[in-house]
Amino acid sequence: MPQQDSELSDMQKKFDVMERNLTWEIRKLEKDKVLLENENLRLDREVKSLKNEISRYRAPPLVIATVTEILGNNEAVVKSSTGPSFLIRYSDKDAKKMEIDARVALNQQTFAIVDVISSEKDPNVAGMEVDEKPDISYDSIGGLSEQVKETIETVELPLKNPEIFKDVGITPPKGVLFYGPPGTGKTLLAKAVAKETNATFIKIVASEFVKKYIGEGSRLVREVFQLAKEKAPSIIFIDEIDAIAGKRLQSSTSGDREVQRTLMQLLAEMDGFESRGNIGIIAATNRPDILDPALLRPGRFDRIIEVPVPDDEGKVEILKIHTKNMSLEANVNLKEIALKAKGASGADLKAICTEAGMFAIREERSKISVDDFNEAVEKIMNKTSKQQEKQETVMFV
Ligand code: ATP
C-alpha cells in the first residue's frame, strides 16, 4: 500500500510538472497569437494602403478648371483647361474654398470636383520677382543716354501723363522691347522706369515659365497681368521673351503647343489692354531675330530699342558708377581700364571693379591699384570670352 501511495505521488508530481509546462506553453501560444493578430492587422492595413496607392496610380488624370461663376445652392460654372465650360455641383466640404478664380480638379468622366487646389497667387511660387520699391535711378545707368531718353518717352510718359497722348490724339506704345547682348543694362532700364514712376516692378523670366511650370504658362501670364492690375501703377518686365515668342515652327510637339498657348495668352492680355496709363510692359531678348512677327505688330511691342555693349565712353561712365564708393590709388585711370576691357558689357565692368577690390583685400590693402584693375580685366574678360566660346560651340553642335 505504501508503495502504491508513493507511485501515486510520483505520478501526481509528474502531472503537476506536465500541467505547469502545458500552462506555460498555452500562455506562450496565446501571446504569440496576440502578436500574430497584431501583425495581421498591420499587414492588412499595409495591403489596403498599397491597394489605394495602386488605384491612385491607375486613376485617370484630373481635369483642371477655373471657377468663373458661383451660382448658389452649391452650384458653380467652371471653365476647364481643355476649353469648354461646365456647370458643376460641389459638396458642403468644398464650399468654403470655392471662390471666383479658384482652381479645381475635376474627374475626367463625371466632372465632379475631386479637389480645390490652393491658390498660387504667391509671386515666388508663380516664378515672379516683385519689387514694390525698386531703387535703381537713371543716374546708375552708364552709357545709355539715348536708350534712357527713348524709354522715358515710350514708357515713363504714358504712365505719368497719359493725357498728353490723348490731347495730341495718338496712342502711346503699348509695349517696348529691349534687345541686346546679356548684361548690358536692360533690366536696369526697366527698374529705373519703375522707380521714376513709383511703379511696382514685376519681373518674369519667360524661359522659366515654360521650363518650370509646364502646362501652367498661360495661367501664369494671366496671373502676372492680374497682379500688375492689383498693384498698379506697375511695370511688367518679361525677360528672355524669345523663350515663349520664337517664330512658330512647323513641328508641333506638346512642348511647342504649350509655348504657343503661353504666347497666345500674352498677346491676348496685351490686346485686351484698353485703359493704358497705369501698367507698362517691357520685354527683353538677346535674340530679336527669332521673334514671332505677331509680337511686334502695332498695339503690341511696337517700340524696339537696342541696348548694345557700351562704347569706350560708355564704359568709362559705367566704371565711374561702379567705382563711386571704392577707394582707388591716385594713378588709376578709368579710360585706360575701359580701353583694355575690349567688348566688355556693363555686367563685365561691374565684375571687373568687384574683382579689383578683391585683389586689394587679399593683399590687405585698403586702396585699389592699377595692377589690381589690370589683373581683374584679364581674369574677367578671359572668363567672358571662354563662356562665349562655349556658347558658340553649343549653338554649333
Ligand atoms: P540679361 O540679358 O542677361 O538679362 P541685362 O541686359 O538685363 O542682362 P542687367 O541685369 O541690367 O543686364 O545688368 C546686370 C548688372 O550689370 C547690373 O545689375 C549692373 O550692375 C551692371 N550693368 C549692366 N549694364 C550697366 C550699365 N549700362 N550701367 C551700369 N551698370 C550696368
Side-chain angles (χ1 to χ4, degrees):
M1 226 17 211
Q3 196 192 345
Q4 251 183 0
D5 277 354
S6 98
E7 271 175 14
L8 262 174
S9 131
D10 278 352
M11 272 175 76
Q12 183 63 45
K13 269 183 198 155
K14 266 185 199 159
F15 275 133
D16 281 349
V17 171
M18 269 171 75
E19 194 190 352
R20 235 180 293 138
N21 282 347
L22 281 173
T23 321
W24 185 81
E25 188 75 9
I26 287 170
R27 271 206 211 118
K28 190 176 156 290
L29 284 173
E30 267 171 355
K31 251 191 215 158
D32 283 354
K33 185 177 160 241
V34 173
L35 279 178
L36 285 172
E37 272 171 0
N38 281 343
E39 180 71 5
N40 201 17
L41 273 177
R42 193 185 65 75
L43 288 172
D44 266 354
R45 272 201 298 268
E46 201 169 311
V47 167
K48 229 187 236 167
S49 104
L50 287 171
K51 273 188 183 156
N52 275 343
E53 202 157 324
I54 290 173
S55 60
R56 254 207 319 274
Y57 283 129
R58 283 195 182 143
L62 302 171
V63 175
I64 299 292
T66 308
V67 178
T68 53
E69 219 180 322
I70 300 212
L71 303 172
N73 279 341
N74 285 14
E75 283 184 342
V77 179
V78 297
K79 185 167 171 39
S80 79
S81 53
T82 53
S85 291
F86 300 102
L87 175 78
I88 48 139
R89 282 171 200 90
Y90 52 88
S91 66
D92 286 337
K93 170 179 81 68
D94 292 326
K96 267 190 271 155
K97 292 193 257 170
M98 287 295 278
E99 55 185 18
I100 305 258
D101 277 345
R103 287 190 312 145
V104 288
L106 308 178
N107 179 298
Q108 262 191 4
Q109 269 127 28
T110 60
F111 290 104
I113 292 192
V114 178
D115 199 5
V116 181
I117 303 168
S118 62
S119 160
E120 283 189 4
K121 268 269 170 69
D122 176 357
N124 293 326
V125 177
M128 308 177 212
E129 172 196 324
V130 179
D131 189 348
E132 307 230 354
K133 281 207 177 313
D135 60 354
I136 302 286
S137 63
Y138 293 127
D139 295 344
S140 44
I141 305 176
L144 294 175
S145 52
E146 263 313 302
Q147 287 78 359
V148 168
K149 212 173 101 198
E150 267 196 88
T151 312
I152 292 176
E153 278 172 17
T154 51
V155 195
E156 188 179 317
L157 214 55
L159 277 173
K160 272 187 167 167
N161 304 69
E163 65 284 354
I164 295 182
F165 291 85
K166 230 184 196 170
D167 292 347
V168 179
I170 56 165
T171 19
K174 254 190 191 176
V176 175
L177 178 74
F178 292 150
Y179 77 92
T184 45
K186 299 181 286 296
T187 312
L188 279 190
L189 271 170
K191 272 198 175 167
V193 195
K195 180 191 161 75
E196 230 37 62
T197 50
N198 284 326
T200 306
F201 178 78
I202 302 174
K203 176 180 167 180
I204 57 172
V205 181
S207 56
E208 283 182 15
F209 260 37
V210 282
K211 257 190 266 154
K212 266 206 222 156
Y213 306 97
I214 299 158
E216 304 266 82
S218 51
R219 182 181 65 81
L220 288 172
V221 167
R222 225 176 22 245
E223 276 189 9
V224 170
F225 278 78
Q226 185 57 39
L227 187 76
K229 272 177 220 157
E230 281 165 22
K231 298 217 175 256
S234 43
I235 301 273
I236 301 178
F237 179 63
I238 309 170
D239 205 3
E240 297 180 26
I241 194 164
D242 43 283
I244 54 165
K247 280 188 190 115
R248 273 167 252 188
L249 304 168
Q250 290 307 312
S251 72
S252 73
T253 61
S254 64
D256 292 339
R257 281 195 297 273
E258 154 68 7
V259 168
Q260 270 179 28
R261 266 200 301 275
T262 311
L263 172 63
M264 297 320 282
Q265 186 64 41
L266 173 66
L267 298 180
E269 293 289 345
M270 289 189 80
D271 292 346
F273 246 74
E274 288 302 340
S275 58
R276 287 271 300 145
N278 55 7
I279 299 179
I281 310 168
I282 302 176
T285 180
N286 306 325
R287 297 289 315 270
D289 53 310
I290 61 162
L291 291 185
D292 189 324
L295 198 75
L296 309 174
R297 264 187 226 137
R300 289 170 182 169
F301 291 98
D302 43 12
R303 266 303 184 103
I304 300 175
I305 300 176
E306 184 185 3
V307 185
V309 280
D311 58 13
D312 290 336
E313 250 174 71
K315 281 192 277 184
V316 175
E317 273 184 42
I318 298 172
L319 284 169
K320 266 189 201 150
I321 292 167
H322 291 294
T323 51
K324 203 170 62 193
N325 298 320
M326 292 167 73
S327 47
L328 311 181
E329 282 182 3
N331 61 344
V332 171
N333 183 333
L334 297 184
K335 217 174 193 169
E336 276 171 17
I337 302 169
L339 287 176
K340 277 204 178 97
K342 281 197 183 62
S345 66
D348 293 331
L349 293 168
K350 184 188 178 185
I352 287 171
C353 294
T354 313
E355 199 58 49
M358 290 308 294
F359 282 130
I361 289 175
R362 250 172 251 153
E363 290 182 12
E364 296 178 8
R365 283 180 281 108
S366 59
K367 284 201 183 273
I368 300 149
S369 68
V370 176
D371 282 348
D372 293 332
F373 273 103
N374 287 343
E375 275 184 62
V377 170
E378 186 92 354
K379 184 170 171 186
I380 298 297
M381 295 319 288
N382 240 337
K383 214 195 258 170
T384 310
S385 61
K386 268 195 194 134
Q387 265 168 3
Q388 275 166 357
E389 254 171 48
K390 214 166 155 191
Q391 268 172 4
E392 274 159 23
T393 328
V394 170
M395 277 167 83
F396 194 66
V397 167

